[in-house]
Amino acid sequence: GLGAEYLVVKMDIESAEYDVIPHLIQTGAISKINELYVEFHHPGNFEYEQIKTYIKEHIQNHFPSLEFFDNWP
């Protein structure tokens, strides 16, 4: 309705996404975000890919109303 907040976050923070997004999840702050666009860095790095997989699965399982997009053009 009128006055309702809608929060869109576009995140390109040069690898800090691997720390920031889990922090948003742990604090519950991620529940305030409606759309989250993330550019993930270090593709192909095994450790970072594991964290990325955790982030994506956790968001899908626990925050289904959050529209999550990674690696936008």
Side-chain angles (χ1 to χ4, degrees):
L2 189 60
E5 293 184 10
Y6 191 88
L7 182 59
V8 177
V9 174
K10 183 176 179 184
M11 192 178 295
D12 180 4
I13 52 178
E14 307 307 320
S15 302
E17 64 273 11
Y18 295 103
D19 294 319
V20 171
I21 298 173
H23 180 76
L24 293 173
I25 290 170
Q26 291 168 355
T27 63
I30 200 162
S31 65
K32 306 233 184 262
I33 301 171
N34 299 98
E35 293 181 28
L36 176 60
Y37 297 82
V38 180
E39 180 179 351
F40 283 99
H41 295 82
H42 303 291
N45 177 292
F46 181 73
E47 182 179 350
Y48 286 115
E49 289 295 329
Q50 284 186 311
I51 297 169
K52 180 179 172 181
T53 299
Y54 161 78
I55 289 169
K56 292 172 79 171
E57 289 177 355
H58 195 83
I59 287 173
Q60 290 171 350
N61 293 332
H62 298 282
F63 302 96
S65 64
L66 172 62
E67 294 190 57
F68 179 76
F69 305 92
D70 64 326
N71 298 322
W72 69 87

